[in-house]
Amino acid sequence: MEKAKIRELIDTAIAQLSYSYTPYSHFKVGAALLGKNGQIYTGCNIENAAYTPTNCAERTAFFKAVSEGVKEFEAICIVGGPEGKLVDYTPPCGVCRQVMMEFCRPKEFQIILAKGKEDYKIYRLEELLPQGFGPGNLED
Ligand code: THU
């Protein structure tokens, strides 16, 4: 992916931190999901007083896109940290990796973990979810 596109995804993910709703953990996460249609779908984490209904930033972005009819994706950028400070990379949780597995090709889908505009690492879904169970496993 071009550097300019990576920077755009990082900037977009960082901008989402201001919408992150985290009165309980104070750990803010922002995501920018790039569809194969070129559109960027944004997400933030949204917590809940009952805790378990909390939605991660990545799934917010995926569900926004899928709910608009978009099901093909190229990459996602994830940023996060305590009070939104980017002190480390924020890798996706296991549940979010599984949602990626539903809609993305494991060998192709890129996961960009960023700590700053010039400080990022890129993984393929296959690396973060080896031997993942996906739609293909249910085919005859
Ligand atoms: N969180 C995400 O938004 N994405 C992840 O993949 C990791 C965890 C959120 C959930 C919760 O609001 C906070 O980070 C602390 O777990």
Side-chain angles (χ1 to χ4, degrees):
M1 190 184 310
E2 286 174 14
K3 275 246 166 93
K5 183 54 77 181
I6 294 172
R7 284 205 196 96
E8 185 186 355
L9 291 175
I10 294 173
D11 280 344
T12 306
I14 289 173
Q16 298 315 303
L17 294 170
S18 65
Y19 304 125
S20 164
Y21 176 74
T22 56
Y24 309 106
S25 77
H26 302 283
F27 191 95
K28 296 188 176 293
V29 184
L33 174 64
L34 178 63
K36 287 193 177 169
N37 61 3
Q39 289 279 341
I40 297 175
Y41 299 88
T42 58
C44 64
N45 53 335
I46 304 167
E47 298 188 342
N48 190 282
Y51 287 24
T52 53
T54 292
N55 208 51
C56 290
E58 300 91 317
R59 276 178 290 141
T60 301
F62 268 93
F63 295 158
K64 281 169 70 179
V66 174
S67 71
E68 292 177 16
V70 177
K71 290 193 279 289
E72 294 191 345
F73 305 101
E74 195 173 323
I76 190 168
C77 174
I78 309 162
V79 299
E83 305 293 359
K85 288 186 206 84
L86 308 186
V87 291
D88 204 349
Y89 300 112
T90 299
C93 80
V95 173
C96 288
R97 292 177 201 208
Q98 187 62 37
V99 169
M100 292 171 194
M101 186 73 199
E102 187 67 27
F103 297 106
C104 309
R105 295 209 172 101
K107 288 185 193 310
E108 292 171 18
F109 186 67
Q110 300 179 71
I111 298 164
I112 304 163
L113 306 184
K115 268 201 288 191
K117 276 187 196 179
E118 303 295 333
D119 189 348
Y120 59 86
K121 300 191 287 193
I122 304 183
Y123 296 92
R124 302 279 165 167
L125 177 57
E126 183 183 54
E127 296 175 86
L128 299 190
L129 191 64
Q131 299 295 322
F133 185 88
N137 295 96
L138 294 181
E139 282 169 13
D140 295 330

